[in-house]
Amino acid sequence: MDGMGVRSTIGQVPAPAPDEASRGAGSESGTAGKGPGDPVAARRRAERRAARITSGARELEQRLTDLLRGGLAAAGRSGQGLWEETAARMVDAQAPGLAGRVRELGAIPGSGPGWPVRLLEECALTHLLDRAWLAADRLPAPFATTVRTRVGLPSPVAGAPVRDHWLVLAQYDTGDTRLTTRRAWLYGTTGGRTALVLSYGAAGRAPGLSLPVGAVLDGELTPHAGSGQVRAEPGERFVPVAGPAAPPPGGPVGEALDAYGRALREDPWLDAWPVTLSGVVPARAEYGWQLADADGREALPLTSGARSHPGLWRLVALSGGTPVTVFGECGHRGFTPLAAWSPEAPAETVPLL
């Protein structure tokens, strides 16, 4: 559990971009010659994809059953080959979200002390996602949308656009050999909304959208559907606005953990949740670096990635042993700091990643 009191698998894996396989399904029997806007053809494509995902989910359930029947210790001897084969079948089923979870399962055995516990946790969450997909028609609509997004279907845009002056809190890229995902966190200085904007680039290419950290931009964001979603789609353009902006209102470590716990009720598969800590001090503990409340009441460990990133030393230097405000992602592996503000310069955003 890495010192945390709650467990999920975020940020939360971002909702994937629509895959080319689903776009090309219209050439299958019964829809040939239909335009991409034909509602009957679109419904048939969606039904066929749902059927493939259902078949993949049932196959994955059998794989998990076999694993538990044979014992978790056997997973450490079988290697990743069997998991890769299962992940490939999830890709064939057009369920990239399930495929990603299977690859995570394959990477856990032998990953360090306590790996059987982590494997059991991930198996339980994967089982929960499988069962939720198989019962999606009986779930509340927002949660059903979250489940569909987690298995790999595109996250739909829903709701009215929100116009505000948006402070760019953080921006960073993640990726693999096929896709680069850019994550940008924005905060509405008037409405108080925190939003995640995703953009994608093919392997070796940077995503098209780039937002300067610390800038204040006037524009619209339209939220995506789903329980607890923070993702939003930007409008056609953002216009820079002159003048400083204060950081989002923050709180102590306990409030951040409470916020993450509430978000898990809406989406049990969250990796992390955006929170702002105020009045915290970076401090070294027995197990590594942490952010502690100034009164010493509670502390939040940093993730292993954050502990090895140069941004940690930027944060330590900014603090100098005094309390600072830090924005980042709070998850079961700890806290990843993304931006910070000192009391001496509360309008100056210091990027940490």
Side-chain angles (χ1 to χ4, degrees), residues 164-183:
D164 208 332
H165 286 179
W166 301 95
L167 170 64
V168 182
L169 300 172
Q171 177 179 277
Y172 64 95
D173 294 350
T174 59
D176 52 30
T177 57
R178 298 171 300 157
L179 188 71
T180 298
T181 301
R182 176 163 293 166
R183 299 165 61 87

Side-chain angles (χ1 to χ4, degrees), residues 2-227:
D2 290 345
M4 299 292 294
V6 285
R7 173 70 181 95
S8 78
T9 128
I10 106 137
Q12 178 168 20
V13 178
D19 57 279
E20 294 299 327
S22 64
R23 291 195 189 104
S27 61
E28 298 179 13
S29 175
T31 63
K34 299 288 187 180
D38 181 74
V40 176
R43 178 175 55 81
R44 289 175 179 170
R45 288 196 298 270
E47 289 173 352
R48 279 194 294 273
R49 183 174 186 183
R52 284 191 286 266
I53 294 175
T54 297
S55 177
R58 287 173 175 160
E59 180 180 346
L60 183 53
E61 279 293 280
Q62 185 60 52
R63 175 74 178 90
L64 294 174
T65 300
D66 293 343
L67 172 66
L68 296 179
R69 184 179 291 124
L72 295 180
R77 298 191 297 268
S78 61
Q80 293 192 18
L82 187 58
W83 292 108
E84 283 297 328
E85 181 182 342
T86 305
R89 285 207 273 269
M90 296 305 104
V91 173
D92 292 340
Q94 292 187 282
L98 292 179
R101 300 193 66 82
V102 170
R103 292 191 180 98
E104 285 188 20
L105 293 175
I108 292 175
S111 60
W115 70 259
V117 174
R118 296 194 296 275
L119 181 60
L120 184 60
E121 291 173 348
E122 296 295 343
C123 285
L125 284 165
T126 302
H127 168 71
L128 178 63
L129 183 56
D130 280 340
R131 302 309 302 176
W133 168 263
L134 296 174
D137 58 339
R138 300 193 298 273
L139 298 176
F143 188 62
T145 299
T146 296
V147 170
R148 294 186 181 99
T149 299
R150 289 300 178 187
V151 300
L153 294 176
S155 175
V157 176
V162 179
R163 181 76 176 270
D164 208 332
H165 286 179
W166 301 95
L167 170 64
V168 182
L169 300 172
Q171 177 179 277
Y172 64 95
D173 294 350
T174 59
D176 52 30
T177 57
R178 298 171 300 157
L179 188 71
T180 298
T181 301
R182 176 163 293 166
R183 299 165 61 87
W185 286 106
L186 284 75
Y187 171 70
T189 59
T190 301
R193 182 189 185 99
T194 301
L196 173 66
V197 174
L198 299 180
S199 56
Y200 302 93
R205 296 184 180 180
L209 182 65
S210 181
L211 303 176
V213 174
V216 181
L217 308 173
D218 178 36
E220 290 184 345
L221 292 178
T222 304
H224 281 237
S227 300

Side-chain angles (χ1 to χ4, degrees), residues 254-342:
E255 289 185 8
L257 292 175
D258 288 343
Y260 178 50
R262 289 192 297 270
L264 281 177
R265 292 186 303 187
E266 305 295 329
D267 184 353
W269 304 281
L270 275 175
D271 273 336
W273 188 251
V275 296
T276 302
L277 303 173
S278 63
V280 292
V281 180
R284 190 188 294 273
E286 180 181 354
Y287 49 81
W289 283 90
Q290 62 183 8
L291 289 176
D293 290 332
D295 59 9
R297 181 171 302 179
E298 292 181 289
L300 193 55
L302 300 188
T303 59
S304 58
R307 293 196 296 268
S308 60
H309 194 275
L312 170 61
W313 305 113
R314 197 176 306 143
L315 176 60
V316 171
L318 180 71
S319 166
T322 61
V324 292
T325 298
V326 184
F327 168 81
E329 296 173 351
C330 178
H332 68 277
R333 295 183 180 91
F335 183 80
T336 300
L338 300 177
W341 299 262
S342 69

